C-alpha cells in the first residue's frame, strides 16, 4: 500500500485537504471493507478497492459485496505472473507447458495464500492452458519467493513488487506474464497471449466510497485523485516501485468490478467442488 501513501501525498494539494491513510488489517481485507461500508457516505471516508473485494464474499460470509461501494477511480493494474529460478530447466513458456502436460501435478507453484488473488489467477491460467499444476500456499508473497529462491518449489504466482528485485538481479525469470501488455521494466518478456495462450488476468487497486455518497462528491474526489496520479512526483514514485499505473474512471472501474465479481464467483465455486 506504499503506492496509496504516495498518491495521498500528491493528491492533497489538488483536493485542498489532507488525505490520511489508515491501515486496518484483518480478514484478508474484510475488516477494512466492512468499516468503510458502514462509514457515513459523505465523501470523507474512502477505501482502497482492491481485487479481494470481489473474491472474499464468494469464499466466506461477509457483511459486504462490491455493490456496497461507489467506485471513484482505479489506480493500479498489477500484472500477475509466474516466476521461476534463473537456472530453471524451462527457458520458455512452451517448455514449461510441455513438461506440465507430460507430468500432471508435478510442477509446484507457490502462492501467497490459498484462495487469494494470485492463487485464483494461477488456477484460471491452468485451465486456459490445459495443464494441471500443484499449488502450494504460503503465508504471503514474500515467503513464497523465498521458497522459490531456496529451490523448494518450481515457480511462484505473484504480482509486483514480489520477486521483481530478484528478476532484475538475474536470480529469477518471468516465465508467464498474464497482463494485456508487456511490462515497461521487462520489455523483452512477452505476454502469454503473445505466446499462444489466450489468457489475461491482473489484480486492480483503486479507490471507492461507501454506497450512497453523492455523485458530486465522487466527481470532486475522482478529479483530484486523477490529478494526483498525473503528478510527476507520484509518477516517479510509482515507477521506482515497479507499479503499473492504469487509470480508469468511475464508470469503467464499476464495469471492471462487476466483470471480476462474476469471474471469481465461478473460480471459487470450482475450488469448492
Amino acid at each position: 500500500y506504499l503506492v496509496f501513501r504516495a498518491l495521498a501525498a500528491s493528491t492533497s494539494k489538488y483536493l485542498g485537504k489532507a488525505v490520511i491513510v489508515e491501515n486496518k488489517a484483518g480478514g484478508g481485507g474484510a475488516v477494512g471493507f466492512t468499516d468503510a461500508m458502514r462509514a457515513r457516505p459523505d465523501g470523507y471516508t474512502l477505501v482502497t478497492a482492491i481485487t479481494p473485494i470481489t473474491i472474499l464474499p464468494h469464499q466466506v460470509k461477509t457483511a459486504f459485496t462490491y455493490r456496497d461501494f461507489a467506485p471513484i477511480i482505479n489506480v493500479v493494474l498489477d500484472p500477475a505472473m509466474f516466476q521461476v529460478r534463473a537456472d530453471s530447466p524451462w527457458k520458455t513458456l512452451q517448455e514449461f507447458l510441455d513438461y506440465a502436460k507430460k507430468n500432471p501435478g508435478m510442477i509446484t507453484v507457490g502462492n501467497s495464500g490459498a484462495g487469494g488473488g494470485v492463487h485464483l489467477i494461477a488456477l484460471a491460467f491452468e485451465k486456459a492452458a490445459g495443464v494441471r499444476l500443484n499449488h502450494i500456499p504460503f503465508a504471503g508473497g514474500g515467503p513464497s519467493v523465498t521458497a522459490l529462491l531456496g529451490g523448494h518449489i518450481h515457480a511462484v504466482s505473484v504480482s509486483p513488487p514480489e520477486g521483481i528485485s530478484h528478476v532484475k538481479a538475474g536470480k529469477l525469470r518471468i516465465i508467464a506474464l498474464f497482463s494485456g501488455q508487456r511490462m515497461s521494466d521487462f520489455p523483452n518478456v512477452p505476454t502469454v497471449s503473445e505466446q499462444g495462450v489466450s489468457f489475461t488476468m491482473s489484480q486492480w487497486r483503486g479507490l471507492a466510497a461507501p454506497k450512497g455518497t453523492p455523485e458530486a462528491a465522487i466527481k470532486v474526489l475522482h478529479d483530484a485523485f486523477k490529478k494526483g496520479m498525473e503528478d510527476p512526483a507520484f509518477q516517479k514514485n510509482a515507477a521506482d516501485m515497479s507499479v503499473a499505473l492504469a487509470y480508469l474512471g468511475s464508470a469503467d472501474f464499476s464495469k471492471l468490478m462487476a466483470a471480476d465479481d462474476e469471474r471469481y464467483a465461478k473460480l471459487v465455486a470450482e475450488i469448492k467442488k
Side-chain angles (χ1 to χ4, degrees):
Y1 295 103
L2 291 174
V3 68
F4 282 103
R5 291 195 177 277
L7 181 60
S10 69
T11 301
S12 292
K13 60 186 174 187
Y14 301 108
L15 196 57
K17 295 183 184 296
V19 181
I20 310 299
V21 178
E22 183 183 353
N23 285 340
K24 291 213 171 179
V31 171
F33 293 139
T34 304
D35 283 357
M37 178 194 72
R38 291 172 177 160
R40 186 177 293 146
D42 56 9
Y44 285 91
T45 301
L46 311 180
V47 67
T48 50
I50 55 178
T51 306
I53 210 169
T54 58
I55 299 176
L56 287 167
H58 301 297
Q59 295 173 323
V60 294
K61 188 171 176 56
T62 59
F64 63 86
T65 72
Y66 79 97
R67 294 182 182 86
D68 291 302
F69 301 94
I72 299 169
I73 187 170
N74 187 63
V75 180
V76 175
L77 203 56
D78 282 328
M81 64 185 71
F82 283 175
Q83 296 169 4
V84 297
R85 279 171 46 135
D87 61 1
S88 165
W90 310 301
K91 303 301 179 193
T92 66
L93 176 64
Q94 194 56 57
E95 289 175 358
F96 179 88
L97 294 177
D98 286 347
Y99 184 90
K101 285 173 182 173
K102 290 172 186 169
N103 303 276
M106 294 302 290
I107 294 181
T108 50
V109 181
N111 61 61
S112 58
V118 291
H119 176 213
L120 294 177
I121 289 171
L123 288 171
F125 173 68
E126 175 184 79
K127 196 170 181 184
V131 296
R132 185 159 58 83
L133 306 169
N134 183 6
H135 304 274
I136 312 294
F138 288 84
S144 71
V145 171
T146 299
L148 176 61
L149 288 166
H152 305 294
I153 52 177
H154 295 117
V156 286
S157 178
V158 291
S159 285
E162 301 294 357
I164 293 297
S165 62
H166 299 295
V167 175
K168 288 180 176 176
K171 294 178 182 176
L172 299 179
R173 185 171 66 252
I174 300 168
I175 195 124
L177 179 63
F178 306 137
S179 56
Q181 56 191 36
R182 298 189 186 197
M183 293 178 70
S184 57
D185 281 359
F186 307 103
N188 296 325
V189 177
T191 66
V192 296
S193 295
E194 289 179 274
Q195 299 180 80
V197 182
S198 182
F199 180 81
T200 304
M201 206 165 178
S202 301
Q203 295 196 91
W204 36 265
R205 288 186 272 168
L207 291 166
K211 185 180 175 183
T213 300
E215 284 186 25
I218 296 290
K219 186 179 187 320
V220 168
L221 289 163
H222 165 273
D223 292 353
F225 279 103
K226 186 171 188 287
K227 286 176 182 172
M229 276 186 75
E230 293 164 351
D231 189 273
F234 174 72
Q235 294 263 331
K236 184 182 184 308
N237 273 332
D240 290 346
M241 289 186 271
S242 295
V243 167
L245 297 179
Y247 163 77
L248 284 178
S250 305
D252 288 334
F253 191 19
S254 181
K255 288 176 188 171
L256 176 61
M257 280 191 189
D260 270 8
D261 183 74
E262 193 175 321
R263 193 173 192 178
Y264 284 114
K266 290 175 183 172
L267 279 172
V268 171
E270 284 174 19
I271 291 173
K272 289 179 176 177
K273 283 179 184 174

